[in-house]
Amino acid sequence: MDKLLTVTELAEAFNVTPRTIRFYETKGLISPQRVGSTRVYTYRDRARLKLILRAKRLGFSLTDIREYLNLYNVDPEQIEQQQLLLTKISRRIEELEQQQEDLVATLDELRDIEQQALSNIKKRAAAAGHTR
């Protein structure tokens, strides 16, 4: 648990590039320690990166992630952090449900257009066959 990781080791552990980790560093989401000129990452950094990657995969913004991570330090009981998480999750679920409705409507419309195009092709092919 106390093992320090290099950027390469951390990147390999999460199947991301070192550049990805450096990006999160520049955004202030991860703050590695230094051993000489080498960045080293603690178990805490590893846990933060895991949260960051999961949150990104679920569609949360870097601002949302930062807000959530910052609450971890000021709220030892994590009550505020959990309340914020519930609020963000509810909003994200609403967004995804709306996207799902929009996708279903778009797919239905595309299927209708596809059927109309197929019908038109069949009619024109049949008409061309009768005039010959």
Side-chain angles (χ1 to χ4, degrees):
M1 260 213 199
D2 292 342
K3 183 180 186 289
L4 299 177
L5 301 172
T6 65
V7 69
T8 303
E9 291 169 330
L10 188 62
E12 287 173 358
F14 286 97
N15 199 28
V16 297
T17 65
R19 184 177 176 179
T20 298
I21 294 170
R22 287 188 204 100
F23 172 77
Y24 293 135
E25 285 177 36
T26 63
K27 298 300 179 184
L29 300 175
I30 303 174
S31 301
Q33 299 173 10
R34 295 251 180 210
V35 174
S37 63
T38 304
R39 287 184 193 91
V40 290
Y41 301 86
T42 62
Y43 183 78
R44 182 176 183 270
D45 295 319
R46 183 182 170 96
R48 285 176 73 92
L49 181 60
K50 184 176 182 176
L51 279 171
I52 293 164
L53 295 173
R54 182 178 188 201
K56 284 304 294 174
R57 189 179 73 248
L58 294 173
F60 292 98
S61 71
L62 291 179
T63 302
D64 290 337
I65 296 167
R66 180 179 300 103
E67 188 177 1
Y68 178 77
L69 290 173
N70 287 343
L71 279 177
Y72 185 80
N73 296 327
V74 295
D75 182 16
E77 274 77 52
Q78 299 179 359
I79 293 168
E80 284 184 60
Q81 189 182 33
Q82 294 301 309
Q83 288 173 335
L84 175 68
L85 180 62
L86 286 172
T87 300
K88 300 283 184 185
I89 286 173
S90 293
R91 280 192 210 135
R92 187 68 183 133
I93 288 170
E94 287 174 15
E95 290 171 4
L96 289 171
E97 286 174 340
Q98 184 60 56
Q99 287 177 359
Q100 185 177 29
E101 288 176 25
D102 294 345
L103 281 170
V104 168
T106 300
L107 285 168
D108 288 346
E109 189 172 350
L110 286 169
R111 287 184 181 112
D112 286 344
I113 294 168
E114 178 183 48
Q115 288 305 310
Q116 289 171 5
L118 287 170
S119 178
N120 288 338
I121 289 170
K122 286 179 184 176
K123 286 178 187 173
R124 293 200 170 122
H130 287 295
T131 57
R132 290 186 186 178

